[in-house]
Amino acid sequence: SDFSTNNALFRYHPIAQVTMLLPSHGPINGQSRVRVHGSNFVKRSSLSCIFSAPKQMNAFQSESYSVPVVSYINDNEIICATPPSFEPGNVQVFVSVNDDDMSFDDLSQFGKTFTYDATVSLSEAIPSSGPSRGDFPVLIFGGPFVNGDLRCRFGSRIVSAQYMSANEISCHAPAQDAGIYSLEITQNGQDFTESRFSFYYFENTRMHHIKPVSGPALTAGTMVRVFGEGFINSTNTLCRFGDVEVPAHFVREQELICETPPIQDVRHMEWLALSEQKKKFHTQCACQSR
């Protein structure tokens, strides 16, 4: 047989393997930075990640999305940015050495599943404000939430979050200087929601004294004046007598008025924490019975 006098170099390479994706889910608008772990990743400009829905496998070449590698770490790890998706659901992620030839022979032997999450919308945060010392729970409602790497971000500070249901998560507010901060969440530890709240941190409250310091136990209605500093005019400002919470009437930043509830058991008395934050009470005290 007569062959050409010139020749070209053809390189054989081992078949790539994909073993893990981190994160393994992200928003449908794409741009999640996914760390693809595996083996036999060849460093070359044509190295790419292929995203394909399982139902499209028979029409792989025309229906799948090829994205170039964002960062080559080593032959066991690369980083790819997810393309956008029209709807939530699962896709298979493969690695290709030749991004211009998405044939099965050129792909990693097995793909791994990446899940596109439905867009999360945040509807309410309770409470929407708190003392700058932080360390109090905040319930966030909205969804749909998934039980993944959930985190909350208050301004630039990120804290872990707990999955409660598809419509509710909880996180502990970190300490911050007084001011207004954006509150966002992420479900994969990376991509934060476009939906967000404004969260208000106020100066830490301090209670100095109360007047009067006693009153009838079985009859409610003693008006107790609470003196201190850093009080705010909020519907969440409360006094707690024993286990009973009552609204606090704002007078000024240094004064509140609370109306005592009736107390049935008067045999034992002790000091009671006073609240500027619902469900989070200050360490200085008014009176409670036990």
Side-chain angles (χ1 to χ4, degrees):
S1 299
D2 298 317
F3 290 92
S4 60
T5 56
N6 58 341
N7 57 62
L9 179 65
F10 182 85
R11 173 176 296 175
Y12 288 91
H13 55 78
I15 298 175
Q17 304 284 344
V18 176
T19 58
M20 184 170 58
L21 305 176
L22 292 175
S24 60
H25 63 101
I28 61 174
N29 58 332
Q31 297 306 308
S32 298
R33 295 293 183 98
V34 178
R35 304 184 81 91
V36 182
H37 295 266
S39 59
N40 301 326
F41 299 152
V42 180
K43 187 176 184 179
R44 55 190 301 180
S45 60
S46 58
L47 187 64
S48 62
C49 292
I50 311 298
F51 289 75
S52 175
K55 65 182 179 180
Q56 300 168 346
M57 291 296 289
N58 292 332
F60 194 92
Q61 189 168 357
S62 60
E63 298 294 338
S64 298
Y65 292 91
S66 172
V67 294
V69 170
V70 174
S71 179
Y72 181 90
I73 308 301
N74 52 47
D75 61 358
N76 298 315
E77 183 180 352
I78 57 177
I79 298 176
C80 290
T82 60
S85 175
F86 290 109
E87 59 185 3
N90 296 335
V91 299
Q92 293 295 304
V93 180
F94 300 86
V95 171
S96 172
V97 176
N98 298 310
D99 61 357
D100 58 347
D101 181 19
M102 290 189 292
S103 64
F104 283 108
D105 294 338
D106 185 55
L107 298 175
S108 52
Q109 189 171 1
F110 301 104
K112 285 295 180 181
T113 300
F114 182 88
T115 302
Y116 281 100
D117 300 326
T119 300
V120 171
S121 178
L122 305 182
S123 60
E124 187 178 15
I126 298 177
S128 59
S129 62
S132 60
R133 65 178 175 271
D135 192 29
F136 54 88
V138 178
L139 295 177
I140 299 176
F141 298 91
F145 300 123
V146 297
N147 194 3
D149 188 7
L150 285 165
R151 304 181 192 183
C152 297
R153 182 166 67 185
F154 294 76
S156 61
R157 299 201 60 184
I158 299 174
V159 295
S160 60
Q162 180 180 1
Y163 178 86
M164 310 296 287
S165 71
N167 302 311
E168 180 183 354
I169 64 173
S170 173
C171 54
H172 264 69
Q176 296 271 33
D177 292 335
I180 298 175
Y181 299 83
S182 63
L183 171 55
E184 309 153 283
I185 71 108
T186 176
Q187 303 193 104
N188 64 2
Q190 176 186 138
D191 302 296
F192 286 86
T193 52
E194 295 181 0
S195 178
R196 58 179 60 90
F197 300 113
S198 292
F199 193 91
Y200 173 55
Y201 280 91
F202 49 80
E203 295 286 354
N204 292 330
T205 57
R206 297 182 183 278
M207 192 178 68
H208 297 157
H209 63 281
I210 61 173
K211 184 185 294 185
V213 296
S214 63
L218 302 182
T219 304
T222 302
M223 294 296 181
V224 178
R225 299 174 67 189
V226 181
F227 298 93
E229 56 187 270
F231 299 145
I232 64 170
N233 190 2
S234 169
T235 56
N236 286 333
T237 304
L238 304 172
C239 293
R240 186 175 65 180
F241 295 82
D243 295 326
V244 181
E245 297 174 0
V246 297
H249 304 282
F250 179 83
V251 179
R252 53 197 174 97
E253 289 187 6
Q254 296 80 28
E255 183 181 355
L256 302 172
I257 296 178
C258 298
E259 184 175 341
T260 61
I263 294 177
Q264 299 302 319
D265 186 355
V266 298
R267 290 174 299 175
H268 303 285
M269 303 295 289
E270 67 176 23
W271 294 106
L272 158 72
L274 184 71
S275 172
E276 271 299 315
Q277 170 62 51
K278 192 171 185 178
K279 304 302 183 185
K280 181 66 179 180
F281 297 98
H282 197 275
T283 56
Q284 295 191 17
C285 301
C287 193
Q288 84 170 21
S289 70
R290 175 181 287 179

